[in-house]
Amino acid sequence: MTVLAPNQSAPNQSAPEDVDAAAAPPKVEFDTAPDRYRHWKLDVDGEVATVTLAVDESGGLVPGYELKMNSYDLGVDIELYDAVQRLRFEHPEVKSVVMTGGLEKMFCAGANIRMLAQSSHAWKVNFCKFTNETRNGIEDATDNSGQTWIAALNGTAAGGGYELALACDQIVLIDDGASTVSLPEVPLLGVLPGTGGLTRVVDKRLVRKDRADLFATKAEGYRGATAVDWGLIDGTVPRAKFDDEISRRAGEAASASKRPGGEGVALTPLDRTETDDEITYPHLSAKIDRAARRVDITVHGPDTAPPADAAAVLSQGVNYWPFAVTRELDDLILRLRTNESELGTWVFRTSGDSEQVLAYDAQLTALADDWFVAELVHYYKRTMKRLDVTSRSLIAVIEPGSCFAGLLLEIALASDRQYMLEGVYEDIDPEADPAVIVATKSNDGLFPMGNGLSRLESRFWGHEGDLKSARDRIGEKLDARAADEAGLVTMALDDIDFEDEIRIVLEERASLSPDSLTGMEANHRFVGPETMETKIFGRLTAWQNWIFIRPNASGPEGALRRYGSGQRGNYDVKRV
Amino acid sequence: MTVLAPNQSAPNQSAPEDVDAAAAPPKVEFDTAPDRYRHWKLDVDGEVATVTLAVDESGGLVPGYELKMNSYDLGVDIELYDAVQRLRFEHPEVKSVVMTGGLEKMFCAGANIRMLAQSSHAWKVNFCKFTNETRNGIEDATDNSGQTWIAALNGTAAGGGYELALACDQIVLIDDGASTVSLPEVPLLGVLPGTGGLTRVVDKRLVRKDRADLFATKAEGYRGATAVDWGLIDGTVPRAKFDDEISRRAGEAASASKRPGGEGVALTPLDRTETDDEITYPHLSAKIDRAARRVDITVHGPDTAPPADAAAVLSQGVNYWPFAVTRELDDLILRLRTNESELGTWVFRTSGDSEQVLAYDAQLTALADDWFVAELVHYYKRTMKRLDVTSRSLIAVIEPGSCFAGLLLEIALASDRQYMLEGVYEDIDPEADPAVIVATKSNDGLFPMGNGLSRLESRFWGHEGDLKSARDRIGEKLDARAADEAGLVTMALDDIDFEDEIRIVLEERASLSPDSLTGMEANHRFVGPETMETKIFGRLTAWQNWIFIRPNASGPEGALRRYGSGQRGNYDVKRV
């Protein structure tokens, strides 16, 4: 998150009194492409790509603010996410990525304050979640894809601008006697640097606690030797040598990369059909029941056997079934999270042939050394992680005709509950084959959660014997009773009880407080160890959400609402 | 946290519309003793003690609610904390502790809902923090003191009642066909089981995520074989065999304990003098500057050399300097946190002879095998942990005449910043000896933080070289420059700059948003790994605080405010 220089917002505009009652936010689309970017430029020059932030001031996603001084809103971040994805899939030749700014003196002033001030609580929270995920994706590219991101700060990086830099592997600041890195959220806005800032400063940059405290309370920030000594940046270089230093670092990172070069996979537009109560893709459909505040999502298994080898996989590109499913699922998650906040329960089903799913699942492991398959595996991992931090109740329903195997079983394991029909629906299709599920090695390490555990490890946390039993059954087709015995489903019920149970569960869920469900799910889903990533979504985000809703930030006299008015926040001075 | 059975609160009483504007809460005292308890009974029978909850319905700390069905408020928990402390210090013979209830059918219904509904946000948050600390203390007794706590649930344990049981090492539920364990906060109140409940269910009791979800959404809870199978309880026993089973478990735990028996140390009342702007103890003074919203706390070093041996230490008892200081500091922290929410900055100083402090510090290690010294070390550890989760800015000021050595240096290291005067105050006392600090092994493992790290490890997290350098200087007297070089202080300044700097720092701190400071400090103080304990204070508490302030819980139509009125909460159904 955050922050603009004091002079950037228009003091004569006043924020609405009750932002949560403000006009409904627009429907958000996540489709974009470099030739449509308004805020970023993506240049590829051999092994090195450059993404340049040059925000179109009048290009805000929502009316009511101007994106001055390279400040950003969700629309700016959607383009960044697109660029991150394209670099990984379309550019196997790109081995390092330079992130820099297109303005003089200001690299990026962070999230636009006027936007934050006028946004509802839900919008702010969802915006921060998406920006956090994108920054985690940048780190994932550096860590797992041989694409090292380097922040070339050609001017001040303030608040969310510095948090962008923090997501990069290296941070180089121009030494012009003026440009700084800073986290002015606490002193100027009364909120946190909540897009990973506080956590990454101490847990990634390893800045000492007391220095982090000085830094996060000093609005103007630091530069020069202090910034380097403390670990806030990796280097600071005069303008005349800046480009050379960035080139040198980018070249060095590229030469250490194992990315293969060659042809990429073009991310063509998704084939999506949408009506008021249905969103449909070739391999995925979502049916909305607004009265029940629920969406029923069905993932379709593959129609054909997997292609023969890595070359054939690559030539299928976006049509390779696991890739197509992942892209569609990613898009659907983002759309539902952003545009459908009242649909509190997501019910997941699958349909298809488990054998086919398993064939693809095995291929993901067999071709793990292929760059495209590896990228796809990481993408599916990130998509499952989106589910883990999605503030919706996730229920998997496992019925005849389903194909919860391997990578698709991950969806069930990521869910809060798994209901499995024992036998068949006697009234509907007595001749059907009863449902089975199949765990594979994919469920035990190919798609680790943010806490570093596989979903099997997480499920059986502290129960080594049960984990071993589940591992022993990897590859077996488990019917409802066996799945229940193996601890892989919440409940196995025959058809007499099943439909009633599901109906009651969904009705009950819809009757509960959405906030308490969000908090409960966020605690249950992250058993065991925490990592920098889960700390960002747990400790940091939860505190930020609390602060966002406190009058000291978002009340009429709060700092966030008063910012730019010439008046400071009028604080309730009590510590809570 | 939480929960009463539906019929317990008075439906004809309506909660005030604006609870945060309600009458100021009373000043809270933490002094009590078993003969003054209104809600607990403490019985010692040889190696086994029994603490029995029998809440005086009319004994609420604040007017406006009745503590029906063994529900509790802060006053009830203050007595429990006192009992936990006395068992450790006054009863070296007690090797296991049975916690049970004095009512029929209901062990404990959790935190009183009417109390929560009428309390300000700050009161709720502070209440939960204290109850969390007390439950952590129960676990500390089991883990480190050879005092195993056993929950003997003679009736239903609902919400905070079950969370009390979760803090015990073992949970046995009476099998009477009706009594259950439950966490009805989410379904009935729209808040979380936030006093460790969600975290302990999955991270301590190791209940599978989906079962935890079922449990935390099922108001009536579970009993019998299911409760045992899932790990919610350790056993369930018919009434006729209940007492025998509890005795058997208590005896078994006692026989595995290494507690020595013998004479304990009586926890006599603290010698505290209080005026409107000063709280003074024999070894500690706190001067309040209300205009500056600050308190200056000075810890006094020992006047005399430590006693000769363990027997002499024991005979000093409450007068043994480290114990006296710890008790006073603990009391002061609790009083300031609860009664002085506007004092946002705590400035810590010490005065005395470092050599004397070091002599005591060395004795704590030398006599580590003595039960009383060991108890004292754990108590000081817990008191430092209270500082870590205190939502106040903590600033250490190190001047001539101070004695920040060993255990007292922990206070500086727990602080957000450390300012050290280089040289002396030339105008005041040019002949003084410049301040020195001394790190000892106490700073590197005797008092681990909640995250399992020593304060030195935490300070140099990710910097093994710096940690080693600091360790190499253990035992050395470090003047300001040396302390700065060793990374043990934030800033070393000479007297020309020092006073100005401190003044500006404190003024600036007081000008910032209290909420954002709380969130910032809570993130910076817990670098690196998380544990069950830090997850409770981080992930769980932060979410609970968010939920507490949301209209769905605390608004006029929120579930918490409407509870007992016959009306359910009227929820904003949007997910955030």
Side-chain angles (χ1 to χ4, degrees), chain A residues 20 121-122 125-126 129 185-188 190-192 198-199 201-203 205-214 216-217 293 341-345 388 390-393 412-419 459-463 484 486-491 501 508-530 534-535 537-543 545-547 549-553 568 571-576, chain B residues 20 121-122 125-126 129 185-188 190-192 198-199 201-203 205-217 293 341-344 388 390-393 412-419 459-463 484 486-491 501 508-530 534-535 537-543 545-547 549-553 568 571-576:
Chain A
D20 279 310
H121 183 64
V125 169
N126 194 61
K129 186 174 288 176
E185 287 88 344
V186 169
L188 294 187
V191 300
L192 301 183
L198 293 180
T199 311
V201 165
V202 294
D203 274 311
R205 304 295 310 187
L206 304 171
V207 177
R208 223 172 60 202
K209 173 182 79 165
D210 53 334
R211 290 170 168 173
D213 183 285
L214 282 168
T217 53
R293 298 205 306 278
S341 62
E342 295 199 3
L343 304 177
T345 306
D388 292 330
T390 290
S391 59
R392 302 292 191 281
S393 297
L413 294 175
S415 296
D416 298 301
R417 300 185 191 175
Q418 305 78 29
Y419 287 90
R459 188 167 187 88
F460 299 112
W461 181 246
H463 295 280
D484 192 19
L488 293 169
V489 299
T490 309
M491 235 175 256
E501 178 73 18
E508 277 184 356
R509 201 75 175 188
S511 75
L512 300 180
S513 159
D515 300 330
S516 66
L517 287 177
T518 293
M520 181 188 78
E521 291 153 2
N523 279 278
H524 282 158
R525 290 178 191 168
F526 292 94
V527 69
E530 300 262 355
T534 65
K535 284 173 82 167
F537 285 116
R539 185 178 278 277
L540 179 58
T541 295
W543 278 113
N545 292 353
W546 176 73
I547 290 165
I549 205 168
R550 295 276 296 162
N552 281 340
R568 289 185 59 113
Y571 297 133
D572 176 346
V573 297
K574 286 194 287 295
R575 279 290 191 117
V576 170
Chain B
D20 279 311
H121 182 63
V125 169
N126 194 61
K129 185 175 288 177
E185 287 88 344
V186 169
L188 293 187
V191 300
L192 301 184
L198 293 180
T199 310
V201 165
V202 294
D203 274 311
R205 302 296 311 187
L206 304 172
V207 177
R208 223 172 60 201
K209 173 181 80 165
D210 54 334
R211 290 170 168 174
D213 183 285
L214 283 168
F215 179 56
T217 53
R293 298 205 306 277
S341 63
E342 295 199 2
L343 305 177
D388 293 330
T390 290
S391 59
R392 302 291 191 282
S393 297
L413 294 175
S415 296
D416 298 301
R417 301 184 191 176
Q418 306 78 29
Y419 288 90
R459 189 168 185 87
F460 299 112
W461 181 246
H463 295 280
D484 192 19
L488 293 169
V489 298
T490 310
M491 236 175 256
E501 178 74 18
E508 278 184 356
R509 202 76 175 188
S511 75
L512 301 180
S513 160
D515 301 329
S516 66
L517 288 177
T518 293
M520 181 188 77
E521 291 154 2
N523 279 278
H524 282 158
R525 290 178 191 167
F526 292 94
V527 69
E530 300 263 355
T534 65
K535 285 172 82 166
F537 286 116
R539 183 178 280 277
L540 178 58
T541 296
W543 278 113
N545 292 352
W546 176 72
I547 289 165
I549 205 167
R550 296 276 295 163
N552 281 341
R568 288 185 58 112
Y571 297 133
D572 176 346
V573 297
K574 286 196 286 295
R575 278 290 192 121
V576 170

Side-chain angles (χ1 to χ4, degrees), chain B residues 473-490:
Chain B
R473 307 199 75 170
I474 275 178
E476 280 183 48
K477 287 188 177 174
L478 305 176
D479 65 14
R481 185 158 304 181
D484 192 19
E485 281 167 12
L488 293 169
V489 298
T490 310

Side-chain angles (χ1 to χ4, degrees), chain B residues 328-576:
Chain B
E328 295 169 12
L329 196 52
D330 189 25
D331 187 64
L332 181 69
I333 292 169
L334 291 174
R335 295 173 74 86
L336 289 176
R337 275 196 338 202
T338 309
N339 299 327
E340 298 286 357
S341 63
E342 295 199 2
L343 305 177
T345 307
W346 295 2
V347 178
F348 283 102
R349 290 181 178 79
T350 54
S351 82
D353 179 350
S354 289
E355 294 290 354
Q356 297 272 35
V357 175
L358 288 169
Y360 280 89
D361 187 75
Q363 189 169 60
L364 297 184
T365 299
L367 299 181
D369 291 337
D370 175 70
W371 78 269
F372 174 55
V373 171
E375 284 298 353
L376 163 56
V377 165
H378 286 300
Y379 183 26
Y380 192 73
K381 172 193 73 182
R382 294 195 301 278
T383 305
M384 290 297 102
K385 286 184 183 182
R386 274 207 212 279
L387 274 186
D388 293 330
V389 297
T390 290
S391 59
R392 302 291 191 282
S393 297
L394 310 175
I395 310 284
V397 173
I398 307 170
E399 301 162 309
S402 67
C403 54
F404 281 104
L407 75 162
L408 293 191
L409 184 63
E410 284 290 278
I411 298 171
L413 294 175
S415 296
D416 298 301
R417 301 184 191 176
Q418 306 78 29
Y419 288 90
M420 188 163 182
L421 179 68
E422 192 176 342
V424 298
Y425 292 117
E426 295 290 348
D427 292 348
I428 300 170
D429 187 357
E431 304 303 316
D433 291 327
V436 295
I437 65 170
V438 187
T440 71
K441 289 189 173 174
S442 295
N443 310 115
D444 200 27
L446 202 61
F447 310 113
M449 298 173 59
N451 60 11
L453 303 179
S454 73
R455 285 188 173 72
L456 282 187
E457 287 172 325
S458 184
R459 189 168 185 87
F460 299 112
W461 181 246
H463 295 280
E464 284 304 314
D466 293 345
L467 176 60
K468 184 175 178 307
S469 298
R471 283 177 169 160
D472 287 345
R473 307 199 75 170
I474 275 178
E476 280 183 48
K477 287 188 177 174
L478 305 176
D479 65 14
R481 185 158 304 181
D484 192 19
E485 281 167 12
L488 293 169
V489 298
T490 310
M491 236 175 256
L493 297 167
D494 64 25
D495 69 334
I496 296 171
D497 297 325
F498 194 77
E499 285 174 288
D500 268 356
E501 178 74 18
I502 300 288
R503 184 181 51 75
I504 291 167
V505 163
L506 296 176
E507 282 175 10
E508 278 184 356
R509 202 76 175 188
S511 75
L512 301 180
S513 160
D515 301 329
S516 66
L517 288 177
T518 293
M520 181 188 77
E521 291 154 2
N523 279 278
H524 282 158
R525 290 178 191 167
F526 292 94
V527 69
E530 300 263 355
T531 63
M532 189 175 74
E533 189 173 311
T534 65
K535 285 172 82 166
I536 289 171
F537 286 116
R539 183 178 280 277
L540 178 58
T541 296
W543 278 113
Q544 176 78 315
N545 292 352
W546 176 72
I547 289 165
F548 269 156
I549 205 167
R550 296 276 295 163
N552 281 341
S554 299
E557 300 186 359
L560 202 53
R561 298 282 289 283
R562 278 195 165 176
Y563 188 77
S565 72
Q567 290 183 292
R568 288 185 58 112
N570 181 23
Y571 297 133
D572 176 346
V573 297
K574 286 196 286 295
R575 278 290 192 121
V576 170

